[in-house]
Amino acid sequence: MADIFDVIADATRRDILQILLDRYESDSTVSHGGTSVSEIVTALGLSQPTVSKHLKVLREAGLVAVREEGQHRYYRLESSPLETVEDWLIPFLSVDFDVSGAIGLDAALPDQAKQMADAIGHAVADTTHRVTSAVHAVSKKLGK
């Protein structure tokens, strides 16, 4: 099985994941039926064999699930493998990189305001991570 980072490194696969996410978010039904291969082909303007090759890689990585209906295949996003990426990325988002001098905020904000903004940023990042993880866990238990 390919490393999740190798799988999402490909721009076409990221585009497919984005299409599946957009379709999922716009579908108001509880049980999302999936997006057909032909819909993905049309959205990307790529050949069916090319899209199918990328879908196979995404399926093997557990990032998509497929539902077969006759000769048609419907794909839906499986976000749980992306938690590995999220867990790896979160520490980088919460590091206190000193970019304030580069964009001129040093002079504009007093030290106390900088500390408060930093604390709020860390709290928001941590809360976002916790809420996202909880939503994924609940969704998984509910069979989404």
Side-chain angles (χ1 to χ4, degrees), residues 30-47:
V30 175
S31 60
H32 176 62
T35 304
S36 71
V37 175
S38 62
E39 289 176 278
I40 298 169
V41 166
T42 300
L44 293 177
L46 299 173
S47 70

Side-chain angles (χ1 to χ4, degrees), residues 53-64:
K53 177 188 80 164
H54 287 292
L55 285 167
K56 179 182 178 189
V57 173
L58 291 168
R59 189 176 60 248
E60 289 173 350
L63 287 165
V64 297

Side-chain angles (χ1 to χ4, degrees), residues 12-103:
T12 301
R13 290 192 283 268
R14 289 193 311 270
D15 290 343
I16 291 171
L17 292 173
Q18 186 64 56
I19 289 167
L20 295 176
L21 176 63
D22 292 346
R23 176 69 186 266
Y24 179 81
E25 289 176 339
S26 68
D27 190 347
S28 61
T29 63
V30 175
S31 60
H32 176 62
T35 304
S36 71
V37 175
S38 62
E39 289 176 278
I40 298 169
V41 166
T42 300
L44 293 177
L46 299 173
S47 70
Q48 186 273 327
T50 299
V51 170
S52 291
K53 177 188 80 164
H54 287 292
L55 285 167
K56 179 182 178 189
V57 173
L58 291 168
R59 189 176 60 248
E60 289 173 350
L63 287 165
V64 297
V66 64
R67 178 178 56 87
E68 298 180 16
E69 197 172 288
Q71 292 183 340
H72 300 282
R73 306 289 180 264
Y74 296 89
Y75 286 85
R76 66 180 168 76
L77 183 64
E78 289 288 338
S79 60
S80 57
L82 291 172
E83 290 175 11
T84 303
V85 177
E86 180 184 39
D87 291 343
W88 179 83
L89 188 59
I90 289 291
F92 291 94
L93 298 175
S94 60
V95 170
D96 185 20
F97 293 112
D98 185 18
V99 296
S100 58
I103 56 176

Side-chain angles (χ1 to χ4, degrees), residues 122-138:
H122 284 272
V124 168
D126 183 56
T127 302
T128 300
H129 174 69
R130 288 174 192 240
V131 168
T132 301
S133 296
V135 167
H136 288 298
V138 169

